[in-house]
Amino acid sequence: MQQVEVAVIGTGWCGGIRAETLARSSLVDRLHICEIRPERLAEVKQLTNAATATLDYRDIINNDRIKVVYISTTPESNHYPIARDCLKAGKHVLLEKPIALELFEADELIEIARRGNLKFTIGYSQRFNPRLAYARKKIADGTLGKPVSVMVSRHLSRGLGKKIASRGRLSPATMESTHDLDFVFWLLEPAKPVRVYSQGAYGYMQAVNGSYDIMWSTVTMDNGVLVSIGGGWNLPPSYPNYCATTIEITGTEGSLFLDDTQRANWLNTMKDGTQYPMSTMPGEWVDHVYAGQMAPETIHFLECVLRDEPPMVSPESARRVMETYLGADLSAESGEPIALPLNNQSLSAVQDLYKKFRTPV
């Protein structure tokens, strides 16, 4: 059996899932981990029996035996420089979303990977959700006829929202709706977005980092399909990391409604009250099985490297998603619809907007 040495940079919530998944895989020869918190590094090293554990990601870069790297580090400003260094070192890279904070950074990463003939993908794990795979199948096989509209509503608990928002002033569109933009564009391929209009509402998160509690974005596709995506992170904090999603797809020959709220899994105890196990977006290990999307996505990328096949999420598609949520942010501030791809005027306005956003609150 062909095996490869792999590394995980950043072993927090998502990186920990990826590290544990890789540690269980027979495709992995040796696992290497990197984490800036010594106590977490020691914890994950013991959990995964990692071959090496380091506080400095450059040790991963300089290890020529490591061929595949999963970058799960935060804050998101670290994504571009670490991914760039890994790609320049000739390593295949899975990078958690977002691909970058600036479009020119995304373009550089894509070009480095292309020149080096390297596999490069972004962690849009929702494509590995069986419900969404079913939706894509029903569109592809003509069951729904010609697609007319897609609506996605996603809500997170405010504890998780505050955790994400505290890393920087990034909007719900950038940090949450990005997943939905990705899988909806995937469902509707080869259609591409041509216009986005977005509005946001303030609430709990405004005091945390000045961002909206929720944003609704309407995207018009070049084939006329109307896409409406809502992303919020202000649900009461009664159950940590909870994510509730509903999806509605209509076509000329049928409709498909998907409930991904995990209300079917309800644990109620005297000690902790109501809980919704297996309800997080990344998923979680449940003894010997994995409930969720992130573990299958992790192994998928490894198999793509070993088989020399393209990963499911291309970096170009991730860039398209990025351009769309940048347009959504600009639209919410300006109150105007934004044409896609972004023209020079819009790109300049995005730069001005993010200068304001990235000023410490």
Side-chain angles (χ1 to χ4, degrees):
M1 179 181 293
Q2 189 178 1
Q3 292 182 313
V4 66
E5 292 196 32
V6 304
V8 178
I9 299 176
T11 58
W13 183 16
C14 292
I17 290 172
R18 297 204 189 277
E20 187 174 355
T21 299
L22 293 165
R24 295 174 181 230
S25 173
S26 58
L27 299 176
V28 175
D29 183 10
R30 302 176 80 210
L31 173 64
H32 308 263
I33 59 173
C34 175
E35 169 63 49
I36 62 173
R37 296 169 296 166
E39 67 284 357
R40 178 60 176 169
L41 184 68
E43 178 186 0
V44 177
K45 185 176 189 300
Q46 182 178 13
L47 176 67
T48 62
N49 194 29
T52 64
T54 179
L55 297 167
D56 189 343
Y57 83 92
R58 287 169 294 189
D59 292 334
I60 303 295
I61 301 294
N62 296 327
N63 188 336
D64 293 334
R65 296 189 304 275
I66 297 173
K67 303 302 181 186
V68 184
V69 179
Y70 294 78
I71 301 174
S72 301
T73 183
T74 56
E76 285 67 24
S77 56
N78 288 334
H79 286 196
Y80 163 70
I82 295 179
R84 177 200 58 201
D85 292 351
C86 288
L87 290 168
K88 283 186 173 181
K91 303 182 189 302
H92 306 284
V93 170
L94 183 150
L95 174 65
E96 306 290 0
K97 59 84 182 168
I99 185 173
L101 295 185
E102 305 280 357
L103 283 172
F104 77 84
E105 296 174 341
D107 290 336
E108 183 178 355
L109 295 179
I110 292 170
E111 180 60 20
I112 295 171
R114 187 193 64 79
R115 289 200 309 262
N117 194 29
L118 297 165
K119 309 297 180 189
F120 176 42
T121 192
I122 307 304
Y124 282 121
S125 57
Q126 292 304 300
R127 293 200 193 191
F128 292 83
N129 185 326
R131 292 180 176 87
L132 302 182
Y134 180 78
R136 180 176 166 88
K137 179 181 179 181
K138 292 297 102 180
I139 291 175
D141 67 14
T143 299
L144 302 183
K146 177 185 178 296
V148 175
S149 68
V150 181
M151 188 280 289
V152 183
S153 176
R154 182 181 302 276
H155 293 272
L156 304 181
S157 67
R158 65 179 54 180
L160 179 57
K162 183 177 181 180
K163 179 180 178 181
I164 296 171
S166 64
R167 299 200 296 256
R169 193 174 175 180
L170 298 172
S171 70
T174 299
M175 295 305 293
E176 293 312 315
S177 294
T178 181
H179 284 285
D180 305 313
L181 289 167
D182 172 74
F183 79 69
V184 170
F185 292 172
W186 175 59
L187 295 180
L188 299 176
E189 286 178 346
K192 292 180 173 58
V194 295
R195 186 169 56 255
V196 59
Y197 175 68
S198 185
Q199 289 187 304
Y202 289 109
Y204 175 79
M205 287 298 164
Q206 187 173 20
V208 176
N209 74 343
S211 74
Y212 298 115
D213 272 36
I214 189 169
M215 291 178 68
W216 275 95
S217 302
T218 300
V219 181
T220 305
M221 307 299 286
D222 60 6
N223 63 353
V225 176
L226 187 65
V227 174
S228 183
I229 294 178
W233 42 18
N234 70 347
L235 293 183
S238 55
Y239 186 62
N241 301 337
Y242 178 66
C243 176
T245 308
T246 55
I247 302 164
E248 301 178 8
I249 304 170
T250 69
T252 56
E253 300 298 324
S255 63
L256 178 63
F257 285 33
L258 301 172
D259 185 334
D260 204 18
T261 60
Q262 305 300 327
R263 287 177 291 188
N265 308 316
W266 179 21
L267 174 65
N268 195 0
T269 66
M270 295 296 293
K271 178 183 177 183
D272 298 315
T274 292
Q275 302 174 60
Y276 295 100
M278 299 171 286
S279 63
T280 69
M281 284 184 67
E284 59 196 74
W285 279 101
V286 183
D287 288 336
H288 62 289
V289 296
Y290 190 83
Q293 295 76 239
M294 186 165 282
E297 177 193 45
T298 300
I299 298 303
H300 163 77
F301 183 63
L302 198 55
E303 291 175 339
C304 287
V305 171
L306 293 173
R307 295 174 178 171
D308 192 22
E309 296 176 349
M312 183 175 292
V313 179
S314 71
E316 291 82 6
S317 68
R319 187 197 186 279
R320 185 175 300 117
V321 169
M322 178 183 181
E323 193 165 19
T324 303
Y325 64 65
L326 290 178
D329 282 345
L330 182 58
S331 176
E333 288 294 309
S334 67
E336 300 291 336
I338 304 298
L340 299 169
L342 298 175
N343 57 32
N344 288 337
Q345 181 179 356
S346 294
L347 287 170
S348 177
V350 166
Q351 288 298 314
D352 291 340
L353 176 64
Y354 276 91
K355 284 179 183 177
K356 182 177 70 172
F357 272 13
R358 290 167 191 167
T359 301
V361 178

